Structures are given as structure tokens and as C-alpha cells.
Amino acid sequence: MRLRALLETDALGLRLLGGQGELDRTVRGVMTTDLRDPSRYLSGGELVLTGLAWRRDASDSEPFVRILAGAGVAGLAAGEAELGDIPADLVEACDRHRLPLFAVHETVAFATITEHVVRQVSGERAGDLAAVVDRHRRLMTSGPAGGGPEVVLDLLTSDLDLRAWVLSPTGRQIAGAGAPLPGPLGATLAGHHLAATRTGRRGPHRAAVAGTTYSLFPIRNTGRGAVPAARDVRESVLSDWLLAVEADASDWPAARLDLLQGVTQLIAVERDRRDAARTVRRRLAQEVLELVQAGAAPAEIAARLRVAAPVLLPGLGVTPQWQVVVARVDWTATDAPGPAGVPGDIAGGPVAQALLEEILVDPAAGGPDSADRIAVAHTGEEAIALVPLPAVPAPFPETVDGPTDNADNTGSTGTPAASAAPKAGDAPGTGRTPGTDRTPAAAAQDPALHADALLAAVRDPLSAGLADDGRLTLGVSAAVHSAEGLRGALEEARHARRVAAARPGRVCAAGHHELASHVLLLPFVPDDVRRAFTARLLDPLRDYDRRHRAELIETLEAFLDCDGSWTRCAARLHLHVNTLRYRVGRIEQLTGRDLSRLEDKLDFFLALRMS
């Protein structure tokens, strides 16, 4: 703003005492001071407000004004409350240094002037930024010359002092200004956004995390695949990006809210470009999938894979291994009015496709192009990902027969896939990679995907987006080395997904290593058979425990877990061996079974797993 505008604002009560010809100077801020030398706090362009407490006699005015003029301030406003009239020596000094001087009436508080200037300057800077945003939008619409969303986010920080980040629906940072947003915080903000969106509330959404307030603006997909506003919110809630701003937008003026909406529209252009770039990879995956499902000759599938490999893993130079991941999103039909949507009219395939493309990105990978090695197709209600893996030398010498293409118990390097299964009780800090039984060094050697690890960073935000009427289930195959193994990998991933679907929870996954154990069979036992089987074996023990507090169920679990070892089981339960023998005898008496027989041990084991 200009000094002239201040003089023309009657509410500020300013009188011009000198500097008529300098009123077109630009005011960039306000500073109140009574220091004799405030130069260290001046950067130029300020309107300096002073109560004249620094002035002891007439000789003090000249050095004070000289310091202000040298710092490049826009003008000086002196209050009349302390001395009444403004001293003539100050007027003369300002005239010599061509520094505009205003008198502030004693009834006007400096805070009133400061608030007015800050409001006007912020508004003008926002207007300037809005013009920059509009220009940048035109650049990005016509090509990549705009520089991406980071440029506009940098402007938000430098011109409006707003820190902002673009996040995926799982909380992964896609763009940001300044320091990266910590991964857990991004996931938390994404969860807040998804939960608020599912309630039908319009953005921006307010989220308070660890004492800091954030405003979350939805970034709607505006391209050819965009969902019309009248459609069900569930069709887009799990794929839309969001803009997280470290500020409370609830009391912002309409102009600033409009500016942020313009920023989200600009970022949506980048989103559209990213989606367009995925078209080739999606088409490749669709072609390979159709060949596999049609039972095409391995040579034909291999030819298509050779085309896909350079696109997904450029510069590899060798034939990669492949993994298949199958995902499905199921929604419960609802008749709820409003944004809950159109019951039973949601296409699950495209939703699962967009979601799987996000899940398969490394949570630590930033930027919109970090999913270049992922090709996802969809058929019916399923999304199917074809993921290439760089060939990794086996850590142990291969057998004479060499690795198989798709054995039930081999991973991508020919080592037992069972080693990838999570162990109960694993926790952060144990030295294992999340969701696996491998050390970090082994995990770095083996690039294969593991079901539990895929969902570790995204489970919470996705659960918020799925709310009470959605489920995501996911299955992961073992790695295969050739086209011949791809059909088996697809079936393996589908079987694993069905195992995951039989489990409780909104977000579930299962891996290929689970298909070679009782875990595969138990979910498919009919409920009435499960109830009858477990009741026949376990109800007598539960009734006895309820009446006598005997802990027979706990004793049975420990006994089986210790492989029937009396000494180890007694030590685990802190019992004398004779007490343990008494309890086992009571279990056998109540159930008519013999825990020395393998068949009876197996029946008890399965009953405990199904209960």
C-alpha cells in the first residue's frame, strides 16, 4: 500500500507534517519503537511508529531520523500523547532527509494503525499472489514450464507465511515447501481429512494435532476420469489428494479462502498430468492380464512382458522377476440421504485401481512420479497390479534344480518364503523390517513385496476413509521369473486376497506364504461347523474355568505351544510339573481326549484357532 492511502483514511487520524512529495512510497510493514537506534530491526519499507521516548533534547532528532532514512523506511509517525505538539527539530530533520512525517492524534492507538496496515498489506500481497497463481495455472495447463506445485507452495510460504503440503489419500507427501512433513503426521492428517469427507462436510476441514492446527483443503480430480459432483463421495474419497496448510482457516476472509481454492485447482492440473502419464502403464497391465486370463501361450505373454519391462524398470537390461498384487474394495449398500450416495451403484474396480497404485508406492517416496514402476489394471471389481522386481542374487547357493517359477514356499530369490512371515510379538526396535521376519540388511537385498508391510503405513488413514461401510482386502503372490509362472501368481494372489477377506477388520492383507498352512483352510470352514467343532471341545473347559477359575484353556494353549513338553510348559506357567499333569488330566477327563495322541492335539489346536 502507499503512504497516501494512510493519510486518506480518516479513522487513523494522521496529519502530514512534511514529505508531501514522498507520499507514493510503498509501505511493506509496521514497526513500533522508542529505541535511539532501531536499525537492527529494520529491513526497509516500514512505517515507523514512535512515542518519542527516545528524545531527550533537540540534538537527538537528527541522528534518529538519519538512521531511519539510511534503513530505507517508508515514513515516520510520531504520537502526540507524550509531548503534545511534535517538536520542530524533528520536523526539520525529516525535511532534510526527505522522510515523510505524520502526527498521530492522542486518541488513536498505535495498535489501530498497525492492524490497518497489516490487513491492507496482506490483502494486497494475497492479490499479487493470486495473479501469480493464475499465471502459473496457465503455464502448467499448456506444459511443464510452470515448475510444478512446489512453486506455488513456496509462494504461499514467502508471501503469506503459510506452510503447506500436498498429500496423497494415505498421507504420503507429494509436494511441499520447506521441511518435509513427518510421515506419521501426514497419515494422521489424511485420516482426519478422509473421515471428515465421509461425513459429507465441505472443506476446508480443521484438524488439531499435537497442539498445531491444520486446515485441509480437498484437491478434486478435474480430468477426464473426474467423478461428477452429484455422484457418491465414496467413488473418489480414496483417490483425491489434499492440501494441508499449517493454519486455522475458520476465520479467514473470503478472499484468502478463494486464493487457496485457486491453489488447489492449480495442483489438480498436476494431478491430471500424473494420471495421464499412468495411461501407458495401465494399458500394459491390462494387455498382460487379458493374455493371462485368456490362457495365451507363454511365448506371447513373454513378448508382452518384454515390452512392459523397459517402461516400468528403465535401464534394467535384464529380465525382471514379477509379483502380482490383487486388491478389492467392497462397499455396503446404504439408503442414507445426502453424500452417502447411491446405494449399490459404486464401481469397485476403478476405486481399487487408484488405491492400489497409491499403496504400492514406498511411503518414504515423495513426488507425484514415484509410482512409475507400478502398472495396475482392473477387471470387474478387482484391481490387479503387475510389479517388476530387479533380479537379486540368491544369498545361498542354489540347488541343482535351481529356483522354481512359482513354488508355494519360495520367494523371489529361491529362499524359503516362510521366512517372510511376521512373528507374533515383533515390535519396532527389534531389528526386523515391519511385516517381515527379515533383518533390515536382508530386506534391502530382497525387493519383494510383503503383504503386512504394504499396509503398515496406510492402514489408519484408509480405515478412516472406508468408515463403517467399506472394506479393502489385498493379496500378494510370490515372485515369478517367467511368463509361465504368471498365471499361477495371479491365482495365488487371488487366493491370498480371499484369505484376507475372511478376516475381521476394514483393511486386511494376506501373502503367498500363508497359502501353505492351516491359515488358508480355517477361514473357509462354514460358521455352523466352526461353532459346533469348537463347542464340543472347548465348552466343557470354559464351563469348568468359569466355575473353578482353573485356567484350563490357558494351560491347554501353553501345552500345545510348548509341543507337549512338560518341563517347558510348567516353566512358562510358573507351575510345578505335578500341578501341570493334574490340569492336563482334568482336560482329558472333561473332553474324553488324550493329549498324548497327535490327532487329539491337532483337534485342540484347530479348535483354539477357530474360536
Side-chain angles (χ1 to χ4, degrees), residues 263-291:
V263 170
T264 64
Q265 293 170 12
L266 173 60
I267 296 169
V269 175
E270 175 66 26
R271 172 65 189 271
D272 294 342
R273 179 176 292 112
R274 195 284 306 263
D275 285 345
R278 285 185 169 179
T279 302
V280 173
R281 300 194 300 275
R282 287 177 172 179
R283 186 181 301 121
L284 284 171
Q286 195 72 42
E287 290 173 354
V288 173
L289 175 63
E290 290 173 357
L291 289 173

PDB file of all heavy atoms in Angstrom, residues 263-291:
ATOM      1  N   VAL A 263      -5.318 -22.347  -5.559  1.00  0.00           N
ATOM      2  CA  VAL A 263      -4.116 -23.172  -5.451  1.00  0.00           C
ATOM      3  C   VAL A 263      -4.470 -24.644  -5.640  1.00  0.00           C
ATOM      4  O   VAL A 263      -3.763 -25.384  -6.325  1.00  0.00           O
ATOM      5  CB  VAL A 263      -3.429 -22.932  -4.087  1.00  0.00           C
ATOM      6  CG1 VAL A 263      -2.318 -23.946  -3.863  1.00  0.00           C
ATOM      7  CG2 VAL A 263      -2.859 -21.517  -4.023  1.00  0.00           C
ATOM      8  N   THR A 264      -5.582 -25.090  -5.033  1.00  0.00           N
ATOM      9  CA  THR A 264      -5.967 -26.498  -5.188  1.00  0.00           C
ATOM     10  C   THR A 264      -6.324 -26.823  -6.630  1.00  0.00           C
ATOM     11  O   THR A 264      -6.027 -27.917  -7.120  1.00  0.00           O
ATOM     12  CB  THR A 264      -7.150 -26.855  -4.269  1.00  0.00           C
ATOM     13  OG1 THR A 264      -8.310 -26.096  -4.659  1.00  0.00           O
ATOM     14  CG2 THR A 264      -6.821 -26.552  -2.811  1.00  0.00           C
ATOM     15  N   GLN A 265      -6.934 -25.870  -7.327  1.00  0.00           N
ATOM     16  CA  GLN A 265      -7.247 -26.110  -8.743  1.00  0.00           C
ATOM     17  C   GLN A 265      -5.978 -26.224  -9.570  1.00  0.00           C
ATOM     18  O   GLN A 265      -5.894 -27.024 -10.506  1.00  0.00           O
ATOM     19  CB  GLN A 265      -8.134 -24.977  -9.265  1.00  0.00           C
ATOM     20  CG  GLN A 265      -9.520 -24.955  -8.640  1.00  0.00           C
ATOM     21  CD  GLN A 265     -10.284 -23.692  -8.979  1.00  0.00           C
ATOM     22  OE1 GLN A 265      -9.887 -22.929  -9.847  1.00  0.00           O
ATOM     23  NE2 GLN A 265     -11.385 -23.460  -8.273  1.00  0.00           N
ATOM     24  N   LEU A 266      -4.980 -25.416  -9.211  1.00  0.00           N
ATOM     25  CA  LEU A 266      -3.707 -25.490  -9.908  1.00  0.00           C
ATOM     26  C   LEU A 266      -3.047 -26.846  -9.690  1.00  0.00           C
ATOM     27  O   LEU A 266      -2.527 -27.465 -10.624  1.00  0.00           O
ATOM     28  CB  LEU A 266      -2.792 -24.370  -9.408  1.00  0.00           C
ATOM     29  CG  LEU A 266      -1.355 -24.365  -9.895  1.00  0.00           C
ATOM     30  CD1 LEU A 266      -1.317 -24.242 -11.411  1.00  0.00           C
ATOM     31  CD2 LEU A 266      -0.588 -23.228  -9.254  1.00  0.00           C
ATOM     32  N   ILE A 267      -3.073 -27.332  -8.454  1.00  0.00           N
ATOM     33  CA  ILE A 267      -2.459 -28.622  -8.153  1.00  0.00           C
ATOM     34  C   ILE A 267      -3.230 -29.751  -8.847  1.00  0.00           C
ATOM     35  O   ILE A 267      -2.658 -30.769  -9.230  1.00  0.00           O
ATOM     36  CB  ILE A 267      -2.400 -28.830  -6.635  1.00  0.00           C
ATOM     37  CG1 ILE A 267      -1.479 -27.770  -6.014  1.00  0.00           C
ATOM     38  CG2 ILE A 267      -1.889 -30.221  -6.280  1.00  0.00           C
ATOM     39  CD1 ILE A 267      -1.549 -27.704  -4.507  1.00  0.00           C
ATOM     40  N   ALA A 268      -4.549 -29.546  -9.022  1.00  0.00           N
ATOM     41  CA  ALA A 268      -5.347 -30.554  -9.730  1.00  0.00           C
ATOM     42  C   ALA A 268      -4.862 -30.728 -11.161  1.00  0.00           C
ATOM     43  O   ALA A 268      -4.977 -31.823 -11.738  1.00  0.00           O
ATOM     44  CB  ALA A 268      -6.823 -30.166  -9.713  1.00  0.00           C
ATOM     45  N   VAL A 269      -4.295 -29.666 -11.756  1.00  0.00           N
ATOM     46  CA  VAL A 269      -3.729 -29.790 -13.101  1.00  0.00           C
ATOM     47  C   VAL A 269      -2.561 -30.765 -13.092  1.00  0.00           C
ATOM     48  O   VAL A 269      -2.416 -31.605 -13.983  1.00  0.00           O
ATOM     49  CB  VAL A 269      -3.275 -28.399 -13.621  1.00  0.00           C
ATOM     50  CG1 VAL A 269      -2.578 -28.534 -14.983  1.00  0.00           C
ATOM     51  CG2 VAL A 269      -4.469 -27.458 -13.727  1.00  0.00           C
ATOM     52  N   GLU A 270      -1.722 -30.661 -12.059  1.00  0.00           N
ATOM     53  CA  GLU A 270      -0.605 -31.597 -11.922  1.00  0.00           C
ATOM     54  C   GLU A 270      -1.116 -33.013 -11.722  1.00  0.00           C
ATOM     55  O   GLU A 270      -0.569 -33.973 -12.254  1.00  0.00           O
ATOM     56  CB  GLU A 270       0.273 -31.179 -10.740  1.00  0.00           C
ATOM     57  CG  GLU A 270       1.396 -32.138 -10.426  1.00  0.00           C
ATOM     58  CD  GLU A 270       2.438 -32.214 -11.525  1.00  0.00           C
ATOM     59  OE1 GLU A 270       2.583 -31.226 -12.282  1.00  0.00           O
ATOM     60  OE2 GLU A 270       3.097 -33.257 -11.636  1.00  0.00           O
ATOM     61  N   ARG A 271      -2.201 -33.142 -10.957  1.00  0.00           N
ATOM     62  CA  ARG A 271      -2.791 -34.468 -10.737  1.00  0.00           C
ATOM     63  C   ARG A 271      -3.281 -35.063 -12.058  1.00  0.00           C
ATOM     64  O   ARG A 271      -3.063 -36.249 -12.344  1.00  0.00           O
ATOM     65  CB  ARG A 271      -3.946 -34.350  -9.739  1.00  0.00           C
ATOM     66  CG  ARG A 271      -4.763 -35.629  -9.565  1.00  0.00           C
ATOM     67  CD  ARG A 271      -3.918 -36.733  -8.944  1.00  0.00           C
ATOM     68  NE  ARG A 271      -4.601 -37.990  -8.954  1.00  0.00           N
ATOM     69  CZ  ARG A 271      -5.409 -38.420  -7.974  1.00  0.00           C
ATOM     70  NH1 ARG A 271      -5.641 -37.651  -6.932  1.00  0.00           N
ATOM     71  NH2 ARG A 271      -5.973 -39.591  -8.034  1.00  0.00           N
ATOM     72  N   ASP A 272      -3.913 -34.231 -12.875  1.00  0.00           N
ATOM     73  CA  ASP A 272      -4.400 -34.714 -14.165  1.00  0.00           C
ATOM     74  C   ASP A 272      -3.249 -35.182 -15.043  1.00  0.00           C
ATOM     75  O   ASP A 272      -3.349 -36.201 -15.734  1.00  0.00           O
ATOM     76  CB  ASP A 272      -5.180 -33.608 -14.881  1.00  0.00           C
ATOM     77  CG  ASP A 272      -6.456 -33.235 -14.150  1.00  0.00           C
ATOM     78  OD1 ASP A 272      -6.896 -34.035 -13.310  1.00  0.00           O
ATOM     79  OD2 ASP A 272      -6.986 -32.143 -14.408  1.00  0.00           O
ATOM     80  N   ARG A 273      -2.138 -34.431 -15.013  1.00  0.00           N
ATOM     81  CA  ARG A 273      -0.986 -34.808 -15.818  1.00  0.00           C
ATOM     82  C   ARG A 273      -0.410 -36.138 -15.335  1.00  0.00           C
ATOM     83  O   ARG A 273      -0.010 -36.985 -16.133  1.00  0.00           O
ATOM     84  CB  ARG A 273       0.085 -33.717 -15.746  1.00  0.00           C
ATOM     85  CG  ARG A 273       1.332 -34.051 -16.558  1.00  0.00           C
ATOM     86  CD  ARG A 273       2.330 -32.906 -16.558  1.00  0.00           C
ATOM     87  NE  ARG A 273       1.799 -31.779 -17.306  1.00  0.00           N
ATOM     88  CZ  ARG A 273       1.440 -30.612 -16.765  1.00  0.00           C
ATOM     89  NH1 ARG A 273       1.577 -30.436 -15.471  1.00  0.00           N
ATOM     90  NH2 ARG A 273       0.954 -29.643 -17.497  1.00  0.00           N
ATOM     91  N   ARG A 274      -0.370 -36.318 -14.017  1.00  0.00           N
ATOM     92  CA  ARG A 274       0.152 -37.564 -13.459  1.00  0.00           C
ATOM     93  C   ARG A 274      -0.729 -38.743 -13.890  1.00  0.00           C
ATOM     94  O   ARG A 274      -0.225 -39.807 -14.270  1.00  0.00           O
ATOM     95  CB  ARG A 274       0.206 -37.452 -11.942  1.00  0.00           C
ATOM     96  CG  ARG A 274       1.029 -38.498 -11.190  1.00  0.00           C
ATOM     97  CD  ARG A 274       0.368 -39.823 -11.081  1.00  0.00           C
ATOM     98  NE  ARG A 274      -0.944 -39.749 -10.507  1.00  0.00           N
ATOM     99  CZ  ARG A 274      -1.232 -39.981  -9.216  1.00  0.00           C
ATOM    100  NH1 ARG A 274      -0.269 -40.308  -8.400  1.00  0.00           N
ATOM    101  NH2 ARG A 274      -2.472 -39.914  -8.767  1.00  0.00           N
ATOM    102  N   ASP A 275      -2.055 -38.536 -13.836  1.00  0.00           N
ATOM    103  CA  ASP A 275      -2.960 -39.612 -14.234  1.00  0.00           C
ATOM    104  C   ASP A 275      -2.816 -39.951 -15.720  1.00  0.00           C
ATOM    105  O   ASP A 275      -2.890 -41.116 -16.116  1.00  0.00           O
ATOM    106  CB  ASP A 275      -4.405 -39.217 -13.926  1.00  0.00           C
ATOM    107  CG  ASP A 275      -4.708 -39.297 -12.432  1.00  0.00           C
ATOM    108  OD1 ASP A 275      -3.906 -39.911 -11.706  1.00  0.00           O
ATOM    109  OD2 ASP A 275      -5.724 -38.735 -11.992  1.00  0.00           O
ATOM    110  N   ALA A 276      -2.591 -38.914 -16.537  1.00  0.00           N
ATOM    111  CA  ALA A 276      -2.411 -39.162 -17.966  1.00  0.00           C
ATOM    112  C   ALA A 276      -1.148 -39.975 -18.216  1.00  0.00           C
ATOM    113  O   ALA A 276      -1.112 -40.841 -19.096  1.00  0.00           O
ATOM    114  CB  ALA A 276      -2.343 -37.828 -18.716  1.00  0.00           C
ATOM    115  N   ALA A 277      -0.103 -39.707 -17.402  1.00  0.00           N
ATOM    116  CA  ALA A 277       1.147 -40.447 -17.573  1.00  0.00           C
ATOM    117  C   ALA A 277       0.990 -41.913 -17.199  1.00  0.00           C
ATOM    118  O   ALA A 277       1.770 -42.767 -17.655  1.00  0.00           O
ATOM    119  CB  ALA A 277       2.252 -39.811 -16.730  1.00  0.00           C
ATOM    120  N   ARG A 278       0.005 -42.230 -16.383  1.00  0.00           N
ATOM    121  CA  ARG A 278      -0.213 -43.617 -15.979  1.00  0.00           C
ATOM    122  C   ARG A 278      -0.947 -44.434 -17.040  1.00  0.00           C
ATOM    123  O   ARG A 278      -1.059 -45.653 -16.929  1.00  0.00           O
ATOM    124  CB  ARG A 278      -1.019 -43.667 -14.679  1.00  0.00           C
ATOM    125  CG  ARG A 278      -0.201 -43.294 -13.441  1.00  0.00           C
ATOM    126  CD  ARG A 278      -1.021 -43.478 -12.197  1.00  0.00           C
ATOM    127  NE  ARG A 278      -0.180 -43.375 -11.004  1.00  0.00           N
ATOM    128  CZ  ARG A 278      -0.634 -43.473  -9.760  1.00  0.00           C
ATOM    129  NH1 ARG A 278      -1.911 -43.688  -9.553  1.00  0.00           N
ATOM    130  NH2 ARG A 278       0.186 -43.371  -8.746  1.00  0.00           N
ATOM    131  N   THR A 279      -1.478 -43.767 -18.039  1.00  0.00           N
ATOM    132  CA  THR A 279      -2.300 -44.461 -19.025  1.00  0.00           C
ATOM    133  C   THR A 279      -1.525 -45.585 -19.708  1.00  0.00           C
ATOM    134  O   THR A 279      -2.043 -46.691 -19.902  1.00  0.00           O
ATOM    135  CB  THR A 279      -2.817 -43.456 -20.071  1.00  0.00           C
ATOM    136  OG1 THR A 279      -3.561 -42.437 -19.416  1.00  0.00           O
ATOM    137  CG2 THR A 279      -3.706 -44.164 -21.085  1.00  0.00           C
ATOM    138  N   VAL A 280      -0.273 -45.310 -20.076  1.00  0.00           N
ATOM    139  CA  VAL A 280       0.530 -46.328 -20.768  1.00  0.00           C
ATOM    140  C   VAL A 280       0.752 -47.531 -19.877  1.00  0.00           C
ATOM    141  O   VAL A 280       0.616 -48.685 -20.310  1.00  0.00           O
ATOM    142  CB  VAL A 280       1.877 -45.724 -21.215  1.00  0.00           C
ATOM    143  CG1 VAL A 280       2.772 -46.815 -21.780  1.00  0.00           C
ATOM    144  CG2 VAL A 280       1.647 -44.629 -22.244  1.00  0.00           C
ATOM    145  N   ARG A 281       1.091 -47.291 -18.619  1.00  0.00           N
ATOM    146  CA  ARG A 281       1.351 -48.408 -17.712  1.00  0.00           C
ATOM    147  C   ARG A 281       0.080 -49.203 -17.447  1.00  0.00           C
ATOM    148  O   ARG A 281       0.108 -50.431 -17.354  1.00  0.00           O
ATOM    149  CB  ARG A 281       1.943 -47.878 -16.400  1.00  0.00           C
ATOM    150  CG  ARG A 281       3.251 -47.136 -16.600  1.00  0.00           C
ATOM    151  CD  ARG A 281       3.980 -46.916 -15.282  1.00  0.00           C
ATOM    152  NE  ARG A 281       3.216 -46.137 -14.332  1.00  0.00           N
ATOM    153  CZ  ARG A 281       3.195 -44.805 -14.311  1.00  0.00           C
ATOM    154  NH1 ARG A 281       3.893 -44.122 -15.224  1.00  0.00           N
ATOM    155  NH2 ARG A 281       2.497 -44.157 -13.413  1.00  0.00           N
ATOM    156  N   ARG A 282      -1.032 -48.525 -17.325  1.00  0.00           N
ATOM    157  CA  ARG A 282      -2.302 -49.228 -17.114  1.00  0.00           C
ATOM    158  C   ARG A 282      -2.648 -50.091 -18.328  1.00  0.00           C
ATOM    159  O   ARG A 282      -3.136 -51.220 -18.188  1.00  0.00           O
ATOM    160  CB  ARG A 282      -3.421 -48.224 -16.843  1.00  0.00           C
ATOM    161  CG  ARG A 282      -3.362 -47.578 -15.455  1.00  0.00           C
ATOM    162  CD  ARG A 282      -4.455 -46.543 -15.296  1.00  0.00           C
ATOM    163  NE  ARG A 282      -4.540 -46.045 -13.924  1.00  0.00           N
ATOM    164  CZ  ARG A 282      -5.404 -45.108 -13.526  1.00  0.00           C
ATOM    165  NH1 ARG A 282      -6.241 -44.569 -14.401  1.00  0.00           N
ATOM    166  NH2 ARG A 282      -5.434 -44.718 -12.261  1.00  0.00           N
ATOM    167  N   ARG A 283      -2.394 -49.556 -19.503  1.00  0.00           N
ATOM    168  CA  ARG A 283      -2.711 -50.311 -20.722  1.00  0.00           C
ATOM    169  C   ARG A 283      -1.838 -51.560 -20.814  1.00  0.00           C
ATOM    170  O   ARG A 283      -2.304 -52.638 -21.203  1.00  0.00           O
ATOM    171  CB  ARG A 283      -2.520 -49.427 -21.949  1.00  0.00           C
ATOM    172  CG  ARG A 283      -2.971 -50.101 -23.259  1.00  0.00           C
ATOM    173  CD  ARG A 283      -2.743 -49.208 -24.460  1.00  0.00           C
ATOM    174  NE  ARG A 283      -3.470 -47.956 -24.325  1.00  0.00           N
ATOM    175  CZ  ARG A 283      -2.889 -46.751 -24.330  1.00  0.00           C
ATOM    176  NH1 ARG A 283      -1.579 -46.667 -24.478  1.00  0.00           N
ATOM    177  NH2 ARG A 283      -3.618 -45.665 -24.224  1.00  0.00           N
ATOM    178  N   LEU A 284      -0.560 -51.418 -20.470  1.00  0.00           N
ATOM    179  CA  LEU A 284       0.326 -52.581 -20.493  1.00  0.00           C
ATOM    180  C   LEU A 284      -0.165 -53.661 -19.541  1.00  0.00           C
ATOM    181  O   LEU A 284      -0.199 -54.847 -19.883  1.00  0.00           O
ATOM    182  CB  LEU A 284       1.745 -52.150 -20.112  1.00  0.00           C
ATOM    183  CG  LEU A 284       2.563 -51.412 -21.172  1.00  0.00           C
ATOM    184  CD1 LEU A 284       3.845 -50.872 -20.562  1.00  0.00           C
ATOM    185  CD2 LEU A 284       2.861 -52.322 -22.349  1.00  0.00           C
ATOM    186  N   ALA A 285      -0.525 -53.243 -18.334  1.00  0.00           N
ATOM    187  CA  ALA A 285      -1.019 -54.217 -17.357  1.00  0.00           C
ATOM    188  C   ALA A 285      -2.294 -54.880 -17.857  1.00  0.00           C
ATOM    189  O   ALA A 285      -2.493 -56.095 -17.679  1.00  0.00           O
ATOM    190  CB  ALA A 285      -1.260 -53.530 -16.014  1.00  0.00           C
ATOM    191  N   GLN A 286      -3.186 -54.093 -18.477  1.00  0.00           N
ATOM    192  CA  GLN A 286      -4.450 -54.642 -18.968  1.00  0.00           C
ATOM    193  C   GLN A 286      -4.195 -55.678 -20.064  1.00  0.00           C
ATOM    194  O   GLN A 286      -4.832 -56.743 -20.094  1.00  0.00           O
ATOM    195  CB  GLN A 286      -5.325 -53.509 -19.504  1.00  0.00           C
ATOM    196  CG  GLN A 286      -6.787 -53.897 -19.703  1.00  0.00           C
ATOM    197  CD  GLN A 286      -7.517 -54.056 -18.377  1.00  0.00           C
ATOM    198  OE1 GLN A 286      -7.333 -53.266 -17.468  1.00  0.00           O
ATOM    199  NE2 GLN A 286      -8.344 -55.088 -18.279  1.00  0.00           N
ATOM    200  N   GLU A 287      -3.248 -55.396 -20.951  1.00  0.00           N
ATOM    201  CA  GLU A 287      -2.957 -56.328 -22.042  1.00  0.00           C
ATOM    202  C   GLU A 287      -2.382 -57.636 -21.512  1.00  0.00           C
ATOM    203  O   GLU A 287      -2.764 -58.724 -21.951  1.00  0.00           O
ATOM    204  CB  GLU A 287      -1.989 -55.670 -23.025  1.00  0.00           C
ATOM    205  CG  GLU A 287      -2.610 -54.529 -23.824  1.00  0.00           C
ATOM    206  CD  GLU A 287      -1.581 -53.797 -24.664  1.00  0.00           C
ATOM    207  OE1 GLU A 287      -0.379 -54.118 -24.526  1.00  0.00           O
ATOM    208  OE2 GLU A 287      -1.975 -52.903 -25.441  1.00  0.00           O
ATOM    209  N   VAL A 288      -1.445 -57.523 -20.556  1.00  0.00           N
ATOM    210  CA  VAL A 288      -0.857 -58.737 -19.984  1.00  0.00           C
ATOM    211  C   VAL A 288      -1.932 -59.534 -19.253  1.00  0.00           C
ATOM    212  O   VAL A 288      -2.010 -60.779 -19.373  1.00  0.00           O
ATOM    213  CB  VAL A 288       0.302 -58.384 -19.031  1.00  0.00           C
ATOM    214  CG1 VAL A 288       0.798 -59.635 -18.310  1.00  0.00           C
ATOM    215  CG2 VAL A 288       1.442 -57.728 -19.800  1.00  0.00           C
ATOM    216  N   LEU A 289      -2.773 -58.859 -18.493  1.00  0.00           N
ATOM    217  CA  LEU A 289      -3.823 -59.542 -17.738  1.00  0.00           C
ATOM    218  C   LEU A 289      -4.772 -60.281 -18.672  1.00  0.00           C
ATOM    219  O   LEU A 289      -5.145 -61.436 -18.413  1.00  0.00           O
ATOM    220  CB  LEU A 289      -4.586 -58.519 -16.892  1.00  0.00           C
ATOM    221  CG  LEU A 289      -5.803 -59.040 -16.119  1.00  0.00           C
ATOM    222  CD1 LEU A 289      -5.378 -60.090 -15.098  1.00  0.00           C
ATOM    223  CD2 LEU A 289      -6.529 -57.886 -15.431  1.00  0.00           C
ATOM    224  N   GLU A 290      -5.163 -59.637 -19.751  1.00  0.00           N
ATOM    225  CA  GLU A 290      -6.088 -60.290 -20.688  1.00  0.00           C
ATOM    226  C   GLU A 290      -5.451 -61.527 -21.317  1.00  0.00           C
ATOM    227  O   GLU A 290      -6.120 -62.558 -21.518  1.00  0.00           O
ATOM    228  CB  GLU A 290      -6.506 -59.286 -21.767  1.00  0.00           C
ATOM    229  CG  GLU A 290      -7.418 -58.186 -21.232  1.00  0.00           C
ATOM    230  CD  GLU A 290      -7.694 -57.105 -22.263  1.00  0.00           C
ATOM    231  OE1 GLU A 290      -7.110 -57.199 -23.385  1.00  0.00           O
ATOM    232  OE2 GLU A 290      -8.458 -56.174 -21.959  1.00  0.00           O
ATOM    233  N   LEU A 291      -4.171 -61.454 -21.633  1.00  0.00           N
ATOM    234  CA  LEU A 291      -3.485 -62.616 -22.199  1.00  0.00           C
ATOM    235  C   LEU A 291      -3.434 -63.758 -21.189  1.00  0.00           C
ATOM    236  O   LEU A 291      -3.682 -64.923 -21.528  1.00  0.00           O
ATOM    237  CB  LEU A 291      -2.068 -62.233 -22.625  1.00  0.00           C
ATOM    238  CG  LEU A 291      -1.941 -61.330 -23.858  1.00  0.00           C
ATOM    239  CD1 LEU A 291      -0.487 -60.911 -24.049  1.00  0.00           C
ATOM    240  CD2 LEU A 291      -2.466 -62.030 -25.098  1.00  0.00           C
TER     241      LEU A 291
END
